[in-house]
Amino acid sequence: MSTELNQNSRRESLNPVPDSGRIFGLPTYITLWISSMVVIQIFMVGQSFLPPAGQLNIYQAGVVTLIAALFTGLFFVLNSKPGMVYGIPFIVQARTAFGFNGARIASLIRVLPAVFWYGIGSWIGASAMDYITNTIWEWGNIWLYFILFQVLQTLIAYYGIQSIKWFDSILSVVILGFLIYITVQLFKVGGDNMLSSFQTTGTWGMPFYAAIAASVGVLITATINNGDLSRYLKNETKNNWIGHLVGVVPMFVIMLAIGVLSAAATGIWDPVQALVSVIPNPFIAVALMIFVVVAQFTSNLTINIEPPAIVLMEVFNLKWSTSVIIVGILSIVTFPWLLISSTAFNTFIAFYSAFLGPLLGILLADFYFVRKQKLSIEELYSNHLKYNLLGLGSLAIGGIVGIIFLDISWMVSLPVGGFLYWAGYQFLPAYKNKITELQQQNINIGG
């Protein structure tokens, strides 16, 4: 069976993607990420840095943006390598660290936030549609638009990776144009307010570090499972580095920066209202809202629909098309209209990041420090090790530590989880012997 996802794909499509099956070259991969990174939730995080939601000034918010971009880009590059080199998706990559069945538990920690984000993104898009129709026809129904959003996104994703690839890539140029326009308008409308924000004291204390944690936390989900996409990227080292540092990092910086500038210029929390407030006339405002709608489509397809759909395929051997429909239904019952409030929003990010931090730390420690970037494909696709208790235990302990330090959850839980996992293979006899055995067999499959 083909490893290229289509509406009839089942569990067998999660086998390693051969070189001949790599559908992404560097240009299409970069444009895929340019459009996928227009995540309105990143914009909202940027808004939360400055008053009234936050305590930073613009300069401190800029420093946060650069630090967060560095972490995010590095995590993408490091954790995308197993997928690109070996052609394996995230849930298969996780089997070495958590066991065959344990990887399914770990994957739930990744996909649950994706389902929530899917719903939130659709609600934002529905709000934009409601504004459009109220402006043109003085009629709107946000609930109707929300359901239509779910149906249309499900329809695009239904046909698999090729439809996601071309939909996102084609729209990347339009998206870039609108982002430039929005930035110019924010400076025009709120230039004086931005200047005064530079002159406020702000803080370099815990709110500064919490802002970094929230900024990276909003995308840490995507860094964890990006093997689902990088497995289709042509296997060259430069593709991994350039693809993510050019496709992901600049757009991440732009989206955070626009959120920061919006907060300084308008002081409005709601993303749709904030953007509309700086637009000079209703016609451009309608065009902008159409952009917001398209942006939610592109980011949801790549970041929030594919990951949980793949997990459903693997666990239940469902068709891809069936999995996509189920994910759409689940996202509706996450009540995104409640989560989008400013008080719940950053707490939601911090809470799930508490467990995603150690999950990412364990994956990196396993691939780079324990297995020295050498994986056995035979081991990955056998189920003789159902649970790796060291991986699951490190994940649980790291997650608990993350909750204790909730404001900076992943910043603490990632190194704790990764260190505990690495230390177990260094000092616990059973795990130490396992690695020694693998090294003696000189496993070096896939480079």
Side-chain angles (χ1 to χ4, degrees):
M1 179 177 285
S2 171
T3 55
E4 184 176 304
L5 291 177
N6 57 56
Q7 62 264 43
N8 295 314
S9 295
R10 289 185 182 269
R11 185 181 290 152
E12 292 79 5
S13 64
L14 303 182
N15 289 336
V17 179
D19 289 342
S20 60
R22 305 299 178 99
I23 64 172
F24 287 116
L26 189 55
T28 51
Y29 193 74
I30 288 174
T31 54
L32 172 87
W33 273 112
I34 286 175
S35 54
S36 298
M37 286 298 297
V38 185
V39 181
I40 302 298
Q41 295 90 318
I42 300 176
F43 171 93
M44 294 172 67
V45 169
Q47 284 181 297
S48 72
F49 295 167
L50 273 59
Q55 302 177 42
L56 308 184
N57 60 33
I58 282 191
Y59 175 70
Q60 292 157 344
V63 175
V64 166
T65 299
L66 293 177
I67 294 173
L70 177 64
F71 274 115
T72 301
L74 187 62
F75 290 159
F76 263 104
V77 170
L78 291 177
N79 202 46
S80 296
K81 187 172 183 179
M84 185 187 73
V85 172
Y86 293 93
I88 55 174
F90 154 66
I91 195 168
V92 173
Q93 174 194 355
R95 289 172 183 169
T96 58
F98 301 102
F100 195 90
N101 292 339
R104 294 170 174 173
I105 297 173
S107 68
L108 287 176
I109 296 173
R110 160 60 184 104
V111 302
L112 286 176
V115 174
F116 278 87
W117 280 131
Y118 183 8
I120 290 171
S122 295
W123 186 257
I124 293 171
S127 299
M129 280 299 302
D130 193 54
Y131 175 85
I132 292 171
T133 57
N134 270 304
T135 299
I136 299 175
W137 298 296
E138 297 184 352
W139 181 90
N141 188 323
I142 193 170
W143 294 99
L144 172 63
Y145 300 142
F146 178 62
I147 299 301
L148 287 175
F149 242 77
Q150 300 301 94
V151 171
L152 290 174
Q153 289 173 110
T154 299
L155 185 63
I156 296 171
Y158 184 93
Y159 294 101
I161 191 69
Q162 286 284 5
S163 63
I164 294 174
K165 167 189 172 182
W166 290 114
F167 184 85
D168 281 16
S169 297
I170 290 170
L171 290 171
S172 61
V173 176
V174 176
I175 283 170
L176 275 174
F178 265 108
L179 288 176
I180 293 170
Y181 175 78
I182 292 168
T183 304
V184 171
Q185 284 301 119
L186 286 169
F187 273 105
K188 282 183 178 180
V189 172
D192 292 339
N193 291 338
M194 295 175 194
L195 183 61
S196 65
S197 178
F198 269 107
Q199 298 167 348
T200 61
T201 303
T203 176
W204 296 98
M206 182 55 70
F208 174 79
Y209 296 101
I212 296 173
S215 301
V216 179
V218 77
L219 267 191
I220 199 169
T221 51
T223 68
I224 285 172
N225 78 286
N226 198 46
D228 296 343
L229 289 172
S230 66
R231 66 195 290 243
Y232 295 106
L233 178 61
K234 294 189 184 303
N235 184 11
E236 299 178 23
T237 300
K238 69 178 180 65
N239 288 347
N240 186 22
W241 282 93
I242 297 174
H244 297 109
L245 295 184
V246 175
V248 173
V249 173
M251 293 297 294
F252 178 76
V253 169
I254 290 171
M255 290 305 299
L256 269 180
I258 290 176
V260 171
L261 296 176
S262 171
T266 70
I268 300 172
W269 168 256
D270 182 271
V272 172
Q273 292 182 22
L275 291 174
V276 169
S277 70
V278 300
I279 303 304
N281 65 69
F283 298 103
I284 298 178
V286 168
L288 177 64
M289 291 303 98
I290 293 173
F291 158 75
V292 172
V293 170
V294 170
Q296 294 316 292
F297 271 56
T298 55
S299 59
N300 269 343
L301 287 171
T302 306
I303 299 176
N304 299 323
I305 297 177
E306 187 197 36
I310 284 179
V311 169
L312 288 175
M313 282 175 55
E314 196 278 336
V315 175
F316 301 107
N317 198 26
L318 299 174
K319 285 185 178 181
W320 166 262
S321 52
T322 305
S323 298
V324 167
I325 292 171
I326 293 173
V327 171
I329 294 171
L330 290 175
S331 71
I332 295 175
V333 298
T334 60
F335 307 110
W337 48 92
L338 300 179
L339 273 176
I340 207 168
S341 69
S342 61
T343 53
F345 188 69
N346 280 359
T347 302
F348 168 63
I349 296 173
F351 190 82
Y352 76 67
S353 297
F355 289 92
L356 289 172
L359 175 54
L360 178 58
I362 290 165
L363 291 174
L364 295 178
D366 179 73
F367 184 67
Y368 288 97
F369 300 114
V370 173
R371 300 180 190 272
K372 311 295 184 184
Q373 304 185 49
K374 298 176 181 179
L375 300 179
S376 166
I377 297 299
E378 181 180 351
E379 180 188 8
L380 287 170
Y381 287 87
S382 69
N383 62 356
H384 68 276
L385 177 63
K386 297 194 182 307
Y387 298 96
N388 184 336
L389 297 182
L390 176 60
L392 293 170
S394 300
L395 178 61
I397 294 172
I400 292 169
V401 172
I403 291 175
I404 294 172
F405 297 93
L406 192 60
D407 286 343
I408 53 171
S409 55
W410 72 263
M411 297 174 73
V412 179
S413 63
L414 187 153
V416 167
F419 175 79
L420 288 175
Y421 182 82
W422 170 84
Y425 274 100
Q426 299 303 306
F427 303 111
L428 296 179
Y431 293 97
K432 189 174 181 179
N433 291 340
K434 171 66 174 175
I435 290 301
T436 301
E437 177 186 335
L438 290 175
Q439 290 172 344
Q440 288 174 345
Q441 293 173 3
N442 193 27
I443 295 175
N444 189 17
I445 300 175

